[in-house]
Amino acid sequence: MSLEQKLTEKEYYKTLLTDETSHQHPVEVLGHLYFAEQQNERCDLSYIRFSQGEIYFHHKDYESAIFKWENINNELADWAKKNMADAYFELDLLGNAEELYTSISSEHLVLTTEISIKLFSLYWERGKVSLAKDMIKKAVALNPDYPNVTTLARNFFEEQQDWGNAVELVKNEAIRTESMQWFEIMKDYADKGYVKNIAPSYFYEFIYTLYHLNQPRFEQFVSSLWMEYKEAKFFLDWLIEIDKLLSEVEINKNESWSNLAELYKQTYLQLMNGDYLFSTLQNMIPSYLTNWLRITRASEALFPATAILSWSELFPTSIQPEVIRVSENIQEQFHHSIELFDYSKELYQSISTWAQKQDLHIGHRFNWLVESLTKLEMRHILVAGTSERGKVSFRNTILGESILEGPSSSVMIIHDAEEESITEITDQSYKPVTNLAKYQYLTPSKQEKNSEAFLDTKIPSTFLHENHLSIIDTPCLTSELHENHDIFKYSGFADILLFVLNIHSPFTEKEREILIKIKEHTPNIHVHFLLTEIEENYSEEEVQRVAKVTKSKISPYFPDAVILPFKAYSLNSLDSLSQLIDEHFKRNHVKEDRAQKLLQHSKKMIQTLITTREELHQSLNQTIAFNEDMVKKLNGAINQLYDVEKEKISRITEAYRMIKDEIRAEMHENVPKILRNSSEFIREDHDFSKLHRELNDEMNRRIQEYFNTKVEPKFSEAIASWISLASDDFNVSKVNLEELSASLNELYGEEKINLSCDYKVLDDWRRDAERMTNRIHIENVDVLLRFTPGQFLLTSAGKIFGPFSQKANLYTKYKQYIENRNYEDIAETITKQFLQQFEFFEKALERDIVMFFKQPFNTLDKLVEATNKETENKKEALSRLNQNPEIFQDALTLFELRLRHYEWMNLRIMKQPLEY
């Protein structure tokens, strides 16, 4: 054991022991040495005291140990201080320990390292994490080879979840020691996601070192790091760094780089999915492709090689000529078949997903048809021909029933399903069809025809089910084929074209011209023929003779075509058709055909998207302008409606008020007259002691009669006239609103607005008017029973003089009093009583008129709100469209590169170039 180790382990005392004293206890030996040293003239007890302190420390007598170490003045003085601090630490006097540790200044590496480790432990013990972190980092920096110091540091950082310092420690130790243990720890960190927020350049030296130490481990670690960066912000930086590293090293072709090559491949597909700007990728892709090819084994080299060829077509000088030559050789000499279907399918789906993010509508019809190509279990047969009867009988035979009496005016795609349903599919919508008969071809004026739609016809069919068939049934080819003819829109989605011939005149010149045009448009389609309209009296020999002659006429144009005689509702014909279809699909590579079709339709979609974006840009601008103009018109209509409502409220309520005021005036005039005229009820022979009560009853009777015979009929007539006036006003408003609705709907081009009013208001008024005017009853009024002075005198006089004969004077006075009295207060009381319910009705008139116009206001307000919301959405979409126009063009460029990439691969497989 070295001296440094003895001092560290507090076993310095063993240097003072000899073989002769090995059988004695160290305390006894050191005691004798202490006594002996004291006898010397110039004694130095420091070494002995230092050693005695160690013995005391080991026996946990820390106070005695400190006492022994306090007066060490030789070269062991700093170690003595450090040991004293250790003793204080054990006594849990951490403050004293820290003070002693920090007071030591030494250039001795081991001592300084030990002090750093001790302070680290002390700070950790006291919860001073930041200071503990500084101390352990200092210890590692001072002496990384010191036993367990790096392990201690790693454990501490991991416990604190301080992954930054943990990664730093592991990286430095891996590079310094080149120990695979540290590389494995870093891989574990990468797998757990602790490194993805660190810039990839940080790991360059680490990865470079690992590459030269162990290439399999290098690939494993790079794969882990790659997967972590894949979803992180540094992904492109990572690709640049790993590419830079691979460019600087020699690739050992004897090593298997399959995992790394697959990551290159998947990442390349990800980079080309339209989410990145082309300017971001342009400088990195050439080197990326070159290194991808370098690490890919020969059996899988076609994919990166053709990616290089597609890139070099667009940027001829971006890739080294030697790399291009190697790629060309691989492409020309490659002997293995590559499944392109999944790549073609994924390309289409990438374009479709990207288009949706850009608010670009691909179209339901086109998307439905392309999706049908991805269903490899389904066989798509296009049925066409000029023979109407033959095509209809063929369709009815395979379905086992007649779904149309004659040919369809629209394309029908028929496939098996448990339940029957028909849907019209256009690029804009899906629409259920309940009446298929309207799609039957009758006359041009009566047929329902939409050249941009097809009928998705699901019907239970044993034949379709057993043969996994989807039939694309096109209308008869009775006219010259133009560029946008239905047959061209669907031929690219079919595996086989079954062309229906009439056995009486098979393969006419017109049919030949039609088929040549179809073949020119869809060169890879497989064509077979059906001889139909075979009558019962036709012998088998005659049918075969016609088939042989027809074959000879067809062979120069379609040498591989099969001519199949097909009798309507014949099981043998169905069996022969099944056999033809099965043999075709056994003989031909359907998956490769579908891959090629998917590529062709992806190309078409890319071209369409350019136009679609321009149309979208124009449409957004037009919609925004239209909406803003419509909002002005709608707000104008709302303001106009407010004026109408206000005018109707004023006009109708004023008319009602006039009726009420007229009745009030009449009542104020007539009620007093009625009361005065009641004097005629008084007679000289009346019992004047009771007259005031009888006369009061008579007055109330006459008032009630007046209301029943005069007021009620007149008021009922007036109210009916008023309701009629209101109804006329409402009808004028209704006509005006209908004209406004028609005008706005004409601008919208659809029946979008219906400004209908609430005529229930008039019904409510009629009901209320009938209730108010039916059997008007006025409560009796105390006309003569009130205790006014005059009434009091008359009443008293009647009681006093009633029994006597001197009544003439009283009769005269009573009569004069009734005829001359002012009855305005009585008239006002009766008028108020009568008009009270009518005033309640009047107060509700404004609310009722508002209710009449409520629905138009709600409709217009909601439409303004919806239009403003749509305008904001369109402006946001337009803003996104205009913000980074290069995003659109760059994405299409990348999709075109991928498409061209697959076409290069397809050149090898299909042995013929695709038009580009």
Side-chain angles (χ1 to χ4, degrees), residues 543-556:
V543 171
Q544 291 303 323
R545 185 192 67 79
V546 175
K548 186 175 181 181
V549 172
T550 305
K551 174 68 174 176
S552 64
K553 293 166 65 177
I554 289 173
S555 290

Side-chain angles (χ1 to χ4, degrees), residues 496-534:
I496 299 174
L497 167 59
L498 279 181
F499 198 86
V500 177
L501 301 174
N502 186 329
I503 194 170
H504 300 289
S505 55
F507 203 60
T508 63
E509 183 177 350
K510 179 182 178 181
E511 290 171 334
R512 185 189 67 205
E513 292 175 356
I514 288 173
L515 282 163
I516 289 173
K517 286 184 179 180
I518 294 174
K519 192 68 175 175
E520 287 174 353
H521 183 273
T522 315
N524 294 317
I525 195 167
H526 302 276
V527 183
H528 298 294
F529 295 86
L530 295 178
L531 276 179
T532 63
E533 301 187 53
I534 302 173

Side-chain angles (χ1 to χ4, degrees), residues 119 151 211 245 258 327 461 469 761 798 819 890-891 899:
L119 278 171
T151 301
Y211 179 85
L245 186 146
S258 57
S327 299
S461 168
L469 286 185
V761 169
E819 291 173 350
D890 285 5
L899 178 64

Side-chain angles (χ1 to χ4, degrees), residues 584-601:
H584 172 87
F585 282 95
K586 288 176 183 177
R587 193 169 58 248
N588 294 278
H589 302 286
V590 177
K591 207 169 185 181
E592 293 175 3
D593 285 348
R594 294 283 183 90
Q596 191 174 22
K597 292 178 189 298
L598 285 170
L599 290 180
Q600 290 169 341
H601 291 300

Side-chain angles (χ1 to χ4, degrees), residues 110-134:
V110 174
L111 176 60
T112 306
T113 305
E114 269 292 306
I115 291 172
S116 297
I117 293 173
K118 291 296 184 180
L119 278 171
F120 159 73
S121 299
L122 183 148
Y123 289 140
W124 196 355
E125 181 80 14
R126 300 181 71 179
K128 296 182 178 181
V129 176
S130 179
L131 291 174
K133 184 187 300 182
D134 291 341

